[in-house]
């Protein structure tokens, strides 16, 4: 399950691995990958990963922190540090492989 979070909640994340989906409600590609990220978040092999999403229009501080200039942007964090980033539309299998390989 993906949890929509605020800047304050983001600042309090303490999971080892976090997948962060930065999106906007008006963004077509964001709407296309959202169901895939939801499905990926339910993979048993990824139970140790926290999946979160941040609306960049509502929580600009998080977008600024990561220098987000285009959406969707999906970032993988390990212990609070960015270890990977995908920008724009990515097919479901590409997302799953990328997340799986970076969160072992």
């Amino acid at each position: 399950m993906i949890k929509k979070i605020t800047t304050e909640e983001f600042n309090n994340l303490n999971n080892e691995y976090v997948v962060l989906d930065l999106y906007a409600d008006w963004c077509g590609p964001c709407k296309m990958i959202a169901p895939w990220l939801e499905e990926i978040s339910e993979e048993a092999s990824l139970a140790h990963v926290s999946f979160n999403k941040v609306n960049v229009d509502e929580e600009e501080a998080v977008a600024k922190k990561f220098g987000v200039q285009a959406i969707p942007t999906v970032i993988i964090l390990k212990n609070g540090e960015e270890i990977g980033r995908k920008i724009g539309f990515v097919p479901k299998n590409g997302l799953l492989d990328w997340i799986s390989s970076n969160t072992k």
Side-chain angles (χ1 to χ4, degrees):
M1 182 176 103
I2 298 179
K3 180 181 178 191
K4 182 179 177 183
I5 60 173
T6 63
T7 300
E8 182 178 336
E9 290 170 313
F10 169 78
N11 291 332
N12 293 321
L13 288 175
N14 60 3
N15 300 70
E16 180 180 14
Y17 288 106
V18 173
V19 172
L20 190 62
D21 174 22
L22 295 122
Y23 76 100
D25 291 334
W26 50 264
C27 169
C30 299
K31 292 178 183 179
M32 292 171 66
I33 70 167
W36 297 341
L37 285 169
E38 187 69 43
E39 290 174 19
I40 291 168
S41 75
E42 296 171 3
E43 293 278 332
S45 63
L46 296 173
H48 64 291
V49 179
S50 170
F51 284 79
N52 301 275
K53 62 183 184 176
V54 174
N55 185 318
V56 297
D57 291 332
E58 297 171 0
E59 305 295 335
E60 293 177 11
V62 177
K64 286 180 183 176
K65 174 181 173 58
F66 292 104
V68 173
Q69 296 182 359
I71 52 174
T73 295
V74 181
I75 297 173
I76 299 176
L77 305 171
K78 181 176 182 183
N79 297 320
E81 297 295 320
E82 182 176 337
I83 61 168
R85 177 183 295 225
K86 292 283 185 188
I87 300 170
F89 178 83
V90 180
K92 180 182 177 185
N93 287 339
L95 280 172
L96 176 58
D97 292 345
W98 175 68
I99 292 168
S100 296
S101 66
N102 281 286
T103 58
K104 291 183 179 184

